[in-house]
Amino acid sequence: MTVLKIATRKSPLALWQTEFVASQLREAHPGIEIELVPLSTRGDEVLDRSLAAIGGKGLFLKELEVAMQRGDANLAVHSLKDVPMELEEGFTLPAILKREDSADAFVSNLYDDVASLPVGAVVGTSSLRRQSQLRALRPDLVIRDLRGNVNTRLGKLDAGEYDAIILAVAGLKRLGFDARIRSRLDAPVWLPAPAQGAIAIECFAGDAFAIEMASVLDDASTRQRVEAERAMNRALHGSCHVPVSAIASYGGDYLSLIGAVGNVATGDSLRAEAHVLRTDVNAADTLGKTVAAMLLDQGAGALIAETLQD
């Protein structure tokens, strides 16, 4: 029997996503045996500092990539928003699954939405993107870092450490916490992280077997949209160090993209929007670069440099 080994982080959400991918692979390839290879990453272990301070979201991938290089695993499953814009040399993403809800969620035990929070309320999030958008809406709030998996973050809210926290809708839904969502933070007023809500499968580029197995799960429309968002982020040299947000969508024959770069200190932001024919061969890359250029023309370069210096 053919065995496919999938490397995964150990958090409940990562395991849910990997089990979901495994079920899809079993359905696509009857008779295949799936073995999970749970691993701990530096991004999971260091929780007393922000991701930006310890090296970025790529810290969630390194150990999984090493496992694939050693032959201990054929595939790795990631939240695509955690995957750096440039993969390590020798790796590829043969499949991006159909996207789940891309929005953020306002979660609180006492308040219904951001507007109803009292002056000085404490909101938890370590995301610079979320912090900058909160600052724009409510400069009077106290924003504090919040690391850990979804369960840990909800536990800290329930313990009274925060009046509210901001999490991804997709993660809450996948773990069965739909009822914890008090209100949605939706586009175009509030923008998500590039590729938020999408699951990606990564594999070693030289593993033809893994690529063949995984590629059947690729969703073309999701890939085009998230690639536009990632192309914009890449052109801006964005990372978790920079409050960049983006969302691509379809409208008739067109692929549209709204992108923004924020300022954590002031809440100020620069926005741009453009669209291209979705049938264009290079639609995603062209659109992402176009919106990035529009943002840079507005002064995004200086804003990003300022953020990186802080």
Side-chain angles (χ1 to χ4, degrees), residues 5-8 64-65 68 73-78 200-203:
K5 296 182 179 181
I6 308 179
T8 176
L64 279 62
E65 291 175 339
M68 288 187 282
N74 304 101
L75 307 170
V77 175
H78 308 295
I201 300 176
E202 181 185 25
C203 70

Side-chain angles (χ1 to χ4, degrees), residues 18-97:
T18 305
E19 291 284 8
F20 176 75
V21 168
S23 70
Q24 296 292 298
L25 287 169
R26 292 188 188 101
E27 185 175 333
H29 306 291
I32 196 170
E33 182 177 337
I34 306 290
E35 180 181 327
L36 268 56
V37 183
L39 298 168
S40 181
T41 71
R42 180 165 168 76
D44 295 306
E45 294 168 354
V46 182
L47 300 176
D48 59 345
R49 284 169 285 167
S50 69
L51 283 175
I54 62 174
K57 292 182 177 180
L59 293 173
F60 289 125
L61 278 70
K62 186 61 178 176
E63 287 79 0
L64 279 62
E65 291 175 339
V66 169
M68 288 187 282
Q69 286 177 316
R70 287 197 307 252
D72 295 338
N74 304 101
L75 307 170
V77 175
H78 308 295
S79 292
L80 186 53
K81 70 181 181 66
D82 292 336
V83 177
M85 297 307 106
E86 299 291 347
L87 292 178
E88 287 292 322
E89 186 176 354
F91 290 92
T92 185
L93 301 177
I96 298 173
L97 281 67

Side-chain angles (χ1 to χ4, degrees), residues 259-275:
V261 178
N263 183 312
V264 175
T266 66
D268 294 335
S269 69
L270 302 173
R271 282 193 172 216
E273 181 176 2
H275 63 269

Side-chain angles (χ1 to χ4, degrees), residues 43 47 71-72 85 87 94 115 131 182 188-190 218 239 246 249 273:
L47 300 176
D72 295 338
M85 297 307 106
L87 292 178
Q131 289 179 15
R182 292 296 288 265
V189 175
W190 181 286
D218 190 57
S239 66
S249 60
E273 181 176 2

Side-chain angles (χ1 to χ4, degrees), residues 1-308:
M1 181 179 288
T2 303
V3 179
L4 197 63
K5 296 182 179 181
I6 308 179
T8 176
R9 293 161 56 198
K10 296 179 180 179
S11 75
L13 180 57
L15 289 170
W16 185 97
Q17 292 179 164
T18 305
E19 291 284 8
F20 176 75
V21 168
S23 70
Q24 296 292 298
L25 287 169
R26 292 188 188 101
E27 185 175 333
H29 306 291
I32 196 170
E33 182 177 337
I34 306 290
E35 180 181 327
L36 268 56
V37 183
L39 298 168
S40 181
T41 71
R42 180 165 168 76
D44 295 306
E45 294 168 354
V46 182
L47 300 176
D48 59 345
R49 284 169 285 167
S50 69
L51 283 175
I54 62 174
K57 292 182 177 180
L59 293 173
F60 289 125
L61 278 70
K62 186 61 178 176
E63 287 79 0
L64 279 62
E65 291 175 339
V66 169
M68 288 187 282
Q69 286 177 316
R70 287 197 307 252
D72 295 338
N74 304 101
L75 307 170
V77 175
H78 308 295
S79 292
L80 186 53
K81 70 181 181 66
D82 292 336
V83 177
M85 297 307 106
E86 299 291 347
L87 292 178
E88 287 292 322
E89 186 176 354
F91 290 92
T92 185
L93 301 177
I96 298 173
L97 281 67
K98 185 176 181 180
R99 191 178 206 169
E100 175 57 272
D101 198 319
S102 63
D104 275 337
F106 175 86
V107 182
S108 175
N109 294 323
L110 300 172
Y111 307 100
D112 290 332
D113 50 34
V114 174
S116 65
L117 288 167
V119 173
V122 178
V123 181
T125 175
S126 292
S127 161
L128 298 183
R129 171 188 61 84
R130 289 169 178 159
Q131 289 179 15
S132 68
Q133 293 186 88
L134 278 171
R135 192 76 68 202
L137 291 173
R138 291 289 304 275
D140 59 289
L141 297 176
V142 176
I143 302 173
R144 291 183 183 162
D145 280 344
L146 175 63
R147 291 285 315 282
N149 61 48
V150 173
N151 304 63
T152 298
R153 297 185 196 196
L154 290 172
K156 290 181 177 181
L157 172 69
D158 293 341
E161 296 181 34
Y162 305 88
D163 294 302
I165 61 177
I166 309 298
L167 297 172
V169 167
L172 290 166
K173 284 185 173 181
R174 286 166 178 158
L175 292 175
F177 291 130
D178 307 54
R180 299 301 302 265
I181 301 172
R182 292 296 288 265
S183 60
R184 294 168 53 86
L185 297 165
D186 280 311
V189 175
W190 181 286
L191 299 182
Q196 184 161 302
I199 295 173
I201 300 176
E202 181 185 25
C203 70
F204 197 49
D207 192 338
F209 166 68
I211 292 175
E212 180 183 357
M213 292 293 101
S215 61
V216 298
L217 302 186
D218 190 57
D219 184 75
S221 63
T222 294
R223 179 178 286 273
Q224 186 179 51
R225 284 177 286 144
V226 298
E227 284 188 345
E229 296 163 17
R230 286 170 61 81
M232 184 206 82
N233 204 11
R234 186 181 301 111
L236 292 171
H237 304 290
S239 66
C240 67
H241 300 267
V242 180
V244 172
S245 53
I247 186 66
S249 60
Y250 289 126
D253 295 331
Y254 291 91
L255 173 67
S256 299
L257 176 66
I258 305 173
V261 178
N263 183 312
V264 175
T266 66
D268 294 335
S269 69
L270 302 173
R271 282 193 172 216
E273 181 176 2
H275 63 269
V276 297
L277 281 171
R278 59 192 295 182
T279 53
D280 288 354
V281 175
N282 298 313
D285 190 58
T286 298
L287 184 58
K289 289 177 177 176
T290 297
V291 173
M294 294 168 70
L295 289 167
L296 290 170
D297 285 345
Q298 294 180 47
L303 185 57
I304 290 170
E306 180 182 326
T307 301
L308 292 174

